[in-house]
Amino acid sequence: MAGSFGAMGDDDGSIDYTVHEAWNEATNVYLIVILVSVALFMYAKRNKRKIMRIFSVPPTEETSSEPNFYDTMSKIRLRQQLEMYSISRKYDYQQPQSQADSVQLSLE
């Protein structure tokens, strides 16, 4: 097992460069990530309005097309009341004001 792990355990004096190569690759990856992050930050700083337009809420005209729930319920209730009033007025006009429709109860 001599010489297979690390530079300090080598008997023949050769240096194992796998750790150094891995460190160099990792450093290169970190540098690329940092450069891409800086580039994205600069792009975001210059094009702030475009990015905010993408993530902003829809325009107010779309939100106004969808009514509030309570407004809708009150309008439905008002419409029902008007329909019932209309039906009762029609019924009043159709039926003469007589006592023929009244029910008489008698106790025995």
Side-chain angles (χ1 to χ4, degrees):
M1 276 208 154
S4 62
F5 297 106
M8 299 302 275
D10 289 341
D11 291 336
D12 56 357
S14 66
I15 298 173
D16 188 10
Y17 286 102
T18 56
V19 174
H20 299 292
E21 290 172 4
W23 177 258
N24 286 338
E25 290 177 12
T27 305
N28 291 339
V29 169
Y30 287 136
L31 285 175
I32 290 171
V33 167
I34 289 170
L35 289 175
V36 168
S37 299
V38 168
L40 284 174
F41 178 74
M42 295 300 289
Y43 177 79
K45 197 172 183 181
R46 289 183 186 160
N47 298 313
K48 188 176 184 178
R49 292 186 184 199
K50 286 183 184 177
I51 294 172
M52 292 304 290
R53 190 170 56 213
I54 292 171
F55 292 109
S56 66
V57 293
T60 56
E61 60 190 5
E62 254 183 57
T63 56
S64 64
S65 67
E66 183 178 330
N68 188 5
F69 175 74
Y70 293 108
D71 290 342
T72 306
M73 291 303 291
S74 64
K75 288 179 183 176
I76 289 173
R77 183 69 180 141
L78 179 61
R79 186 173 61 230
Q80 288 174 345
Q81 288 175 344
L82 289 172
E83 287 174 358
M84 292 303 292
Y85 179 75
S86 171
I87 290 171
S88 67
R89 296 301 286 175
K90 286 180 186 177
Y91 181 77
D92 289 342
Y93 285 131
Q94 288 175 356
Q95 298 291 331
Q97 297 293 335
S98 65
Q99 297 295 329
D101 293 337
S102 64
V103 177
Q104 294 180 358
L105 295 175
S106 62
L107 294 172
E108 294 181 11

